[in-house]
Amino acid sequence: MSEPIQVLVTLNAGYLDPLKVMLTSLHANNPGESIHLWVVHASLTAAQIDELRWLTDQFGWELSNERVTADFTASVPLIERYPKEMYFRLLSGEILPPTVQRVLYLDPDILVINPLRPLWALDLKGKMLAASAHRGVTKLVDSVNQLRLGTTTSYFNSGVLVLDLAQAREKIKLTDITATIEKYSASLILPDQDILNFLYGTDILEIPEEIWNYDTRKYLVYQTRSLNEQDIHWVMAHTAILHYCGTPKPWDASSDSKFTGLFLNYQQQLQRLMALRPAVTEA
């Protein structure tokens, strides 16, 4: 059997339902795949973890519950509107057991619609991370963020990451993250993503966004940039990860995009599966 794909998620209860939809899509489109799910959090309840574990048991996966201690979270700086859990992906080398050498981080607001094994097996070419840059038709976004952050690399999205944890344990330090936030807090727009790019951008291998981190808001951009090649048929055949960036989210009543229906279909599949779970009685 192939080595399990070590999937990392970090969240609070607010994203628990979207996470379960994401996992349903991952299972549906990676049949027979061996998955070890690492759930890193600071506040999920035992009942919420049990519900997740019931789901992953149905899929034949392994789940590890990694609750981050209060002492650790107290040292994680916060910026208004953003939860501390968003930093756990960068600090996962400190949180996960030292035996875990590589993880594939996925945001909860994602659908997996094709196999992930090629991304998991990616040669990082000596880099610490792999990530995609979300661009428009031109590279204007890169230029704006290079000016804003004083960087020279592409501006990478932190929603899908392959992390070499052996390198991360040596290079990613909470003290560096804290010092950067304290110094540049006024100019940080998406704090964890800005930190990723500011501190570690030169150690990131770029992977194609249209395959591994497709921004569902930008269907027409991808189609235009590819001279109409990347239509919806191309996306369904080639894209592995759809990322519902921004708002509204596909589970919101106001969402009515080209990709909303696909999310709602996996949500329905999840609901049918969860209806089979035996009722949990209070002790």
Side-chain angles (χ1 to χ4, degrees):
M1 182 177 291
S2 299
E3 172 197 15
I5 299 176
Q6 308 286 335
V7 174
L8 169 68
V9 295
T10 68
L11 73 161
N12 57 31
Y15 270 88
L16 195 57
D17 287 340
L19 170 65
K20 289 183 285 189
V21 177
M22 184 269 277
L23 297 178
T24 301
S25 72
L26 196 164
H27 176 259
N29 294 295
N30 289 261
E33 187 62 86
S34 180
I35 303 286
H36 187 143
L37 181 68
W38 296 88
V39 182
V40 176
H41 67 98
S43 57
L44 296 181
T45 66
Q48 289 165 338
I49 292 295
D50 286 346
E51 189 171 279
L52 266 182
R53 194 180 301 279
W54 184 88
L55 183 63
T56 55
D57 284 349
Q58 307 314 299
F59 298 157
W61 299 349
E62 185 173 356
L63 182 149
S64 290
N65 173 26
E66 297 290 330
R67 187 182 183 97
V68 180
T69 65
D71 288 343
F72 187 91
T73 58
S75 62
V76 177
L78 292 179
I79 291 181
E80 188 179 359
R81 297 188 300 118
Y82 294 99
K84 56 183 172 291
E85 285 83 2
M86 69 184 181
Y87 296 105
F88 294 169
R89 75 194 85 177
L90 287 178
L91 298 168
S92 57
E94 296 184 32
I95 298 169
L96 299 183
T99 52
V100 184
Q101 297 294 300
R102 172 183 282 216
V103 291
L104 172 56
Y105 171 82
L106 298 175
D107 267 354
D109 58 344
I110 272 173
L111 286 184
V112 179
I113 62 171
N114 275 306
L116 283 184
R117 176 66 61 173
L119 180 59
W120 169 250
L122 180 71
D123 180 1
L124 291 178
K125 304 184 186 302
K127 299 287 189 178
M128 180 174 63
L129 302 105
S132 297
H134 282 163
R135 298 191 178 95
V137 177
T138 68
K139 294 187 177 182
L140 178 62
V141 173
D142 279 349
S143 299
V144 169
N145 284 299
Q146 286 167 3
L147 181 63
R148 179 171 64 88
L149 298 173
T151 56
T152 58
T153 63
S154 297
Y155 185 76
F156 296 100
N157 181 273
S158 60
V160 177
L161 301 172
V162 182
L163 294 99
D164 178 343
L165 292 188
Q167 289 196 55
R169 291 182 179 106
E170 294 181 2
K171 298 177 179 178
I172 299 179
K173 303 299 180 185
L174 180 57
T175 52
D176 294 337
I177 294 174
T178 302
T180 302
I181 290 175
E182 289 175 349
K183 185 174 182 179
Y184 297 103
S185 60
S187 60
L188 298 179
I189 297 174
L190 298 172
D192 67 320
Q193 194 160 277
D194 284 349
I195 292 297
L196 171 73
N197 284 275
F198 182 82
L199 289 178
Y200 312 112
T202 59
D203 216 353
I204 298 176
L205 176 71
E206 184 167 352
I207 52 178
E209 61 171 312
E210 63 270 18
I211 296 175
W212 299 118
N213 194 341
Y214 187 103
D215 186 339
T216 58
R217 300 170 297 181
K218 298 182 177 178
Y219 173 77
L220 292 178
V221 169
Y222 292 116
Q223 194 173 21
T224 301
R225 204 166 62 192
S226 67
L227 301 178
N228 293 323
E229 177 190 5
Q230 293 173 10
D231 60 10
I232 193 65
H233 301 279
W234 187 96
V235 171
M236 296 307 297
H238 297 91
T239 297
I241 296 173
L242 296 174
H243 192 177
Y244 293 88
C245 302
T247 57
K249 296 299 186 185
W251 54 88
D252 294 333
S254 58
S255 177
D256 191 21
S257 77
K258 183 176 289 290
F259 296 101
T260 298
L262 188 59
F263 179 91
L264 296 177
N265 179 261
Y266 283 109
Q267 187 178 60
Q268 286 180 331
Q269 292 183 43
L270 169 67
Q271 290 167 348
R272 294 183 189 114
L273 178 58
M274 295 303 296
L276 302 177
R277 185 181 183 221
V280 178
T281 56
E282 297 291 336

